[in-house]
Amino acid sequence: MDDDSRAARWEQRTEIPLFVAALAFLAVYATRVLATDLPVFWRHLSMYLLLGLWVVSAVDYAVHWRLSGQGLRFVPTHVLHTLVLVLPLLRPLRIVPLYEAVQHRSGQPRLSLYARVISYAGLSALLLGFAGALAVYQVERGKPGTTMHTFGDAVWWAASTLSTVGYGDVVPVTFFGRLIAMVMMGGGLALLGAVTGSFSSWLMRSFSREGDERPPGR
């Protein structure tokens, strides 16, 4: 059996468990950040769960790397997998390609390519925004000079950052908070570009189709 077929079989077997693992990571992380009065036992348990979910992601990455046969070329050709492994903040984004795989498994997607790009970009924005708000709130709360006193402040900051508006009324003041902000800015620009490009292509294709269907002489 060649590597391509083995990789396809691995993806078919793991797509649902990895989908659940990505959702579980987001739920456990949100609980750990927002439930500040958790008993010590549950805080330790949540840490072990997050570590275990990271190990699951690392094993999946290693298997894909091994089955690809690409060597070091695997890293730049699988950017999302690599970023998710290195930056836990981006791990919820694994839900998007996994959801795509689940849709293909149950039949052909009902949406057109342009609608799928826009809907998946929207889903990515929601996941990245929620995860980014959790991460920045965790590192910013209680710090001297912070403007993020509640999780609502962090959500407002994430929305203005991802939309590239940047009101400036709520800003991170710590090093790690600003590092998270840089990731969010890059993600917001990429998602905005994907949506804008797909919508423009859809408009151009629609106008071109109307022009082809117009009767001659009009």
Side-chain angles (χ1 to χ4, degrees), residues 6-34:
R6 291 170 63 188
R9 291 184 60 186
W10 172 259
E11 290 182 357
Q12 290 177 355
R13 291 176 179 177
T14 60
E15 60 191 19
I16 299 298
L18 289 175
F19 184 85
V20 174
L23 289 176
F25 178 90
L26 188 59
V28 174
Y29 183 52
T31 301
R32 182 175 175 82
V33 172
L34 298 178

Side-chain angles (χ1 to χ4, degrees), residues 44-67:
H44 288 169
L45 179 60
S46 64
M47 177 60 70
Y48 293 142
L49 286 174
L50 291 177
L51 180 60
L53 292 170
W54 182 87
V55 170
V56 169
S57 180
V59 170
D60 177 67
Y61 186 86
V63 172
H64 275 93
W65 189 334
R66 173 66 179 83
L67 295 179

Side-chain angles (χ1 to χ4, degrees), residues 10 12 27-28 35 51 80 91 111 121-122 134 154 158 181 188 203 205 210-211:
W10 172 259
Q12 290 177 355
V28 174
L51 180 60
L80 179 59
R91 190 152 300 131
L111 300 177
L134 288 171
L203 285 178
R205 187 171 181 177
E210 289 180 2

Side-chain angles (χ1 to χ4, degrees), residues 138-163:
Q138 184 181 28
V139 300
E140 289 287 317
R141 63 182 173 188
K143 297 297 189 295
T146 184
T147 55
M148 296 186 190
H149 304 289
T150 66
F151 181 62
D153 293 335
V155 171
W156 169 252
W157 168 84
S160 62
T161 301
L162 275 178
S163 61

Side-chain angles (χ1 to χ4, degrees), residues 74-137:
F74 178 85
V75 176
T77 57
H78 294 76
V79 178
L80 179 59
H81 288 75
T82 304
L83 290 177
V84 164
L85 183 65
V86 175
L87 298 175
L89 168 65
L90 302 179
R91 190 152 300 131
L93 293 184
R94 280 287 289 145
I95 295 174
V96 179
L98 290 172
Y99 178 76
E100 170 80 358
V102 172
Q103 288 290 93
H104 277 288
R105 189 173 184 179
S106 59
Q108 291 297 322
R110 298 178 180 179
L111 300 177
S112 66
L113 175 61
Y114 302 119
R116 283 159 57 199
V117 170
I118 294 174
S119 61
Y120 293 157
L123 177 59
S124 299
L126 288 175
L127 292 171
L128 182 59
F130 184 60
L134 288 171
V136 79
Y137 180 59

